[in-house]
Amino acid sequence: MSPGEVVAVGGHESDGGRALRGLLDPQVPCVAGGRELLRRVGALRARGEPVCVVPMTLGRDPELIADAARTLLALSSEQRARTVLAEPFGTADHLIGWLRAAATRVAGDKALLLTAPTGGPYADAELFRIARLVRQYGRHRTVEVALIGGDPDPAEGVRRCRALGERNVVLLPAAWVTPPVPDPEHCAPGGPLLAAAAVAGVIDARVRQAWERHGRLGDDGLSRAIAAAHGHGHAHSHEPDHRAHDHAHTDEPHRPHGPHPHDPRTHPHAMDGAGAARSDRRAPDGPPNTRHRADAVTRRGADPHDLPLHRSPR
């Protein structure tokens, strides 16, 4: 049993945590970031409770993780002593797997409309990429995207599906927020993405991992999460081209897809500027070192999202 209290923190995927409150255990409060998170954790630590904070992103809000870490750094040193930040609830790879599993519950003659709150150009583009992979490895002819508060919105998304010749559309949430059905005659809800029991299981796994890492290494997760703001932390995307490695770093294994992007031999930006420059110079008695270039070509040719149809929520 993991010690202490758990606090979930939500971003744009959950409307600041509000969309999660019906899915979480009553013992797990869900708050927005910033002052609300700081007040909640500070109050729990003042009572002497250890606290684990879980960023409730599904893979499209890496800044939520770094922002939570920066907020927790504002605690006093005594309060931070027994406060840990867990790995994010999910990654883009998890989201693809969960959506593909949900899609198997929808008849193949219906269109899928993946919905999520708009989160900025890169987060929105990521949703289109995810939808393409759901379609690629599924049985539905039409898989479209609708952005709550963005363009196309759910009503426009349904119209587009209808214009493609689809008679029935299922709105499949790719976020915690579930939109109202814009056209009940031709579409129906397909959510939520995960049941409350599955959500509880994933949170328990993240909390257990966080405390185990803290016990083994003294790692509270904050410094690694701060690095996410610079593109190399829990989750990262190299904007504008982030297709090759947008996965999140967790302690759990994931399906290999070539050399790890953070291997300094194959990922030039993992080195400092001097190191990157040296990698192309001629060795004293040999040819230029081109191994990292060949590996990079190999890695780009692989498909990192050739996922099994069913993935465990954890």
Side-chain angles (χ1 to χ4, degrees), residues 185-204:
E185 183 179 353
H186 298 110
C187 62
L193 178 64
L194 295 172
V199 174
V202 175
I203 290 177
D204 182 67

Side-chain angles (χ1 to χ4, degrees), residues 213-271:
R213 186 171 56 238
H214 184 265
R216 290 195 320 267
L217 306 173
D219 180 4
D220 61 10
L222 300 185
S223 60
R224 289 182 299 109
I226 290 293
H230 304 287
H232 289 280
H234 285 273
H236 60 270
S237 65
H238 293 275
E239 299 165 347
D241 185 5
H242 62 290
R243 295 167 295 176
H245 51 285
D246 61 354
H247 60 274
H249 294 277
T250 68
D251 289 339
E252 61 193 55
H254 60 278
R255 182 168 181 169
H257 48 82
H260 193 282
H262 289 162
D263 184 342
R265 297 170 300 175
T266 60
H267 199 39
H269 68 260
M271 300 183 287

Side-chain angles (χ1 to χ4, degrees), residues 35-291:
R35 293 180 181 178
E36 190 175 351
L37 174 62
L38 187 65
R39 285 195 298 267
R40 181 61 62 104
V41 174
L44 291 170
R45 290 297 296 118
R47 289 168 21 200
E49 297 284 354
V51 178
C52 179
V53 175
V54 182
M56 296 299 291
T57 176
L58 290 168
R60 293 179 52 252
D61 192 4
E63 277 300 312
L64 174 66
I65 308 152
D67 288 345
R70 285 189 285 265
T71 297
L72 296 178
L73 285 173
L75 295 167
S76 67
S77 57
E78 292 81 8
Q79 290 176 324
R80 287 206 314 272
R82 300 183 72 194
T83 301
V84 297
L85 181 64
E87 294 284 343
F89 180 94
T91 67
D93 282 353
H94 287 121
L95 180 56
I96 293 166
W98 289 329
L99 285 167
R100 290 180 61 201
T104 64
R105 301 191 292 269
V106 179
D109 61 348
K110 296 181 179 181
L112 297 179
L113 184 62
L114 306 190
T115 65
T118 186
Y122 295 108
D124 294 349
E126 176 74 343
L127 184 59
F128 281 88
R129 184 187 72 88
I130 288 168
R132 180 65 181 86
L133 291 167
V134 171
R135 180 183 182 276
Q136 179 71 31
Y137 300 110
R139 57 180 177 153
H140 296 85
R141 184 182 69 172
T142 300
V143 179
E144 291 288 318
V145 164
L147 299 166
I148 302 166
D151 179 31
D153 63 14
E156 175 61 22
V158 172
R159 283 193 291 270
R160 291 185 180 191
C161 292
R162 298 272 297 153
L164 291 171
E166 301 291 349
R167 300 182 61 185
N168 297 291
V169 182
V170 172
L171 276 62
L172 194 60
W176 301 112
V177 174
T178 302
V181 175
D183 181 2
E185 183 179 353
H186 298 110
C187 62
L193 178 64
L194 295 172
V199 174
V202 175
I203 290 177
D204 182 67
R206 300 292 177 264
V207 172
R208 186 170 59 251
Q209 290 164 359
W211 284 117
E212 288 175 354
R213 186 171 56 238
H214 184 265
R216 290 195 320 267
L217 306 173
D219 180 4
D220 61 10
L222 300 185
S223 60
R224 289 182 299 109
I226 290 293
H230 304 287
H232 289 280
H234 285 273
H236 60 270
S237 65
H238 293 275
E239 299 165 347
D241 185 5
H242 62 290
R243 295 167 295 176
H245 51 285
D246 61 354
H247 60 274
H249 294 277
T250 68
D251 289 339
E252 61 193 55
H254 60 278
R255 182 168 181 169
H257 48 82
H260 193 282
H262 289 162
D263 184 342
R265 297 170 300 175
T266 60
H267 199 39
H269 68 260
M271 300 183 287
D272 60 22
R278 285 195 301 270
S279 66
D280 282 330
R281 292 179 182 171
R282 182 179 299 276
D285 296 308
N289 178 8
T290 60
R291 177 175 55 187

